[in-house]
């Protein structure tokens, strides 16, 4: 005789987190395209970025509403809240960077900025791949170890980039603009690490 | 027959949160006055602001002490801590902005800075109006929806202001000073959003 | 008859937190030495700082692994996580400041920077002294009160230093570099306060 579980966990949370992380993949790709585009192209891409950020925002609210209306959640409400917020932060920082690159009319960006964005793209991809594995809580360690490695790499890149900018750029106003953009990209990398740390916390509690 | 509740919740927490939020109303008004004042008037207002910040600090500590000495709290200790801390942060950022405007001898401020402060005043007012409603947990959704709307507006204002400043101001040192002030005002708006998110979390748990 | 405790708490957590805080003492001393050294000496000290940061990082991971593999922890897992993370942040900010002073080739630093570092050294010392007292949860209040006092002092120093820098330094690029370093030192002071707040939270729960 099979005994039905009395309070089935709401499995759609896993789909919602996956959808949320897939917006990050789209966003990080747009950010890469934006770097390679001319000023006119950038405006169009930044507009697409605003739209993806809007979708990601809706995805976050769907998770929050689902959390509030669901009696039994697959893991602690606090952790659902943390994970959804952390995913949302990744998007916000990427969108802010894209917006500022356009607003500040930053014509040429140092090559290392593209390296920063590439790391974000990799972070987004492996985050999106990891989300469905929250269901079975399997093979998640590789994911958070890799994110931590990428964030360390981003951190080193960031400092080298800052030192290089201060060495090579003599216009203080241009420096100020670029510094803000590269710092926001570094914050995006930190936000991906926060997502991974939250996943680790959840996995540990469930193990 | 009326059955008395065995462990009456300590209702004064609601008064304490309300008092804390009322300091924010006073602080945000002072910030508005400071913008309109001359350099001498600003010094006097910044001093009043320090005093209000001090009172707010004491209000926070009163909440924390009460939390530690009360056996049954009206909601989770973690949430009381979060809410008191978030209210305190709002004040800290407003006081820091006021102090820096004086320290940096910022004669003229862009008009949009006044718009930023107006949003903070509105945030403070509706936060102070919402705090007493924590008692009944009623009509709180309008509050957090409105704060989220205001924070979005503040965010857009902030980016426009940054772009405008970089377009119009050619003195890099003045730019650096102004940029710091407008960023702290943006952090104040974020802190009000944090308060609203915490209230939402509390309301959801209690519902 | 003595009844053995069925599930002895893992006392080594206290040693691990103490070890973690002792890295902060070493780090803050290195930071002080770095300020007094010439450019060649600074490179060597910054390298030592990287090594201490690496050791602190390993200490943090040891705490996290222990937390995950221990059935009964001396206090809430969330608080262990918070405390370990906050201690780690103190180190990260000090190491970042040391790295940037070298990367930015900051020859002369304002005297008040040394005052900032002295406050950090005092914070590190009393934090390391407090950690073993977590075992008995005794005499911890003096510690967090003193850290709060030091952080307030650091905050005032920080603002005075900023105002002085803007008054005296006319090279905007030098200003930008120095501003970043002094802000990171201020963030380190905030991180020590976060450690103290976490200890207060733990002590209150246990009392």
């Amino acid at each position: 005789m099979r005994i039905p579980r009395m309070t089935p966990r709401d499995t759609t949370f896993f789909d919602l987190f996956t959808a949320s992380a897939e917006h990050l993949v789209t966003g990080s790709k747009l950010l890469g395209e934006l770097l390679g585009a001319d000023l006119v192209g950038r405006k169009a891409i930044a507009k697409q970025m605003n739209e993806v950020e809007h979708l990601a925002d809706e995805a976050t609210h769907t998770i929050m509403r689902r959390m509030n209306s669901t009696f039994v959640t697959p893991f602690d409400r606090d952790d659902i809240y943390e994970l959804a917020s952390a995913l949302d932060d990744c998007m916000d920082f990427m969108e802010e960077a894209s917006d500022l690159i356009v607003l500040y009319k930053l014509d040429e960006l140092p090559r290392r900025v593209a390296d920063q964005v590439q790391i974000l793209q990799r972070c987004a991809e492996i985050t999106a791949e990891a989300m469905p594995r929250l269901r079975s809580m399997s093979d998640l360690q590789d994911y958070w170890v890799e994110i931590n490695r990428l964030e360390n790499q981003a951190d080193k890149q960031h400092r080298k980039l800052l030192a290089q900018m201060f060495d090579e750029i003599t216009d203080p106003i241009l420096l100020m603009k670029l510094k803000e953009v590269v710092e926001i990209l570094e914050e995006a990398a930190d936000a991906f690490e926060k997502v991974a740390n939250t996943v680790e916390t959840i996995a540990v509690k469930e193990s």
Side-chain angles (χ1 to χ4, degrees), chain A:
Chain A
M1 194 185 81
R2 292 180 57 222
I3 300 173
R5 284 177 67 170
M6 298 291 289
T7 49
R9 292 177 174 204
D10 192 336
T11 53
T12 60
F13 275 106
F14 308 110
D15 304 325
L16 292 171
F17 283 123
T18 304
S20 190
E22 273 162 6
H23 291 308
L24 300 178
V25 175
T26 313
S28 66
K29 276 184 190 159
L30 283 172
L31 200 51
E33 286 173 28
L34 186 139
L35 294 184
D38 59 13
L39 291 185
V40 178
R42 282 186 182 174
K43 266 204 173 156
I45 295 168
K47 210 169 161 278
Q48 279 182 272
M49 193 73 163
N50 295 147
E51 284 156 20
V52 176
E53 192 271 336
H54 194 72
L55 292 175
D57 222 34
E58 278 178 17
T60 309
H61 284 115
T62 305
I63 296 173
M64 300 301 191
R65 270 195 308 273
R66 177 70 51 101
M67 177 180 82
N68 297 342
S69 62
T70 304
F71 190 64
V72 179
T73 52
F75 29 86
D76 281 359
R77 262 160 232 277
D78 285 357
D79 293 327
I80 291 175
Y81 183 89
E82 281 291 317
L83 184 54
S85 303
L87 288 165
D88 200 53
D89 287 346
C90 298
M91 192 71 223
D92 285 352
F93 288 121
M94 292 197 296
E95 190 265 344
E96 192 180 358
S98 133
D99 224 24
L100 288 181
I101 290 169
V102 173
L103 275 173
Y104 288 168
K105 306 177 188 84
L106 286 168
D107 198 2
E108 260 182 284
L109 289 147
R111 190 190 46 78
R112 283 187 200 271
V113 174
D115 296 342
Q116 277 192 304
V117 170
Q118 243 173 26
I119 294 176
L120 295 179
Q121 288 175 337
R122 188 75 195 115
C123 286
E125 280 161 19
I126 67 172
T127 302
E129 283 164 20
M131 289 301 113
R133 301 205 297 273
L134 280 170
R135 194 188 296 267
S136 58
M137 291 287 162
S138 59
D139 304 317
L140 284 164
Q141 186 166 356
D142 288 356
Y143 150 68
W144 69 65
V145 168
E146 177 64 5
I147 289 279
N148 277 289
R149 196 190 64 76
L150 287 166
E151 201 279 329
N152 270 324
Q153 197 186 325
D155 204 42
K156 283 202 185 104
Q157 282 277 4
H158 174 65
R159 290 191 197 175
K160 271 187 207 155
L161 175 48
L162 279 181
Q164 186 196 16
M165 278 163 44
F166 274 107
D167 272 347
E168 295 175 5
I169 299 169
T170 51
D171 172 6
I173 292 186
L174 177 59
L175 246 180
M176 236 181 279
K177 291 174 172 176
L178 281 174
K179 193 162 176 285
E180 187 170 1
V181 170
V182 304
E183 276 167 2
I184 292 167
L185 294 175
E186 171 62 14
E187 288 185 283
D190 286 346
F192 275 108
E193 196 187 23
K194 180 79 197 291
V195 171
N197 288 344
T198 308
V199 169
E200 186 176 0
T201 305
I202 294 170
V204 162
K205 284 189 193 173
E206 297 287 316
S207 70

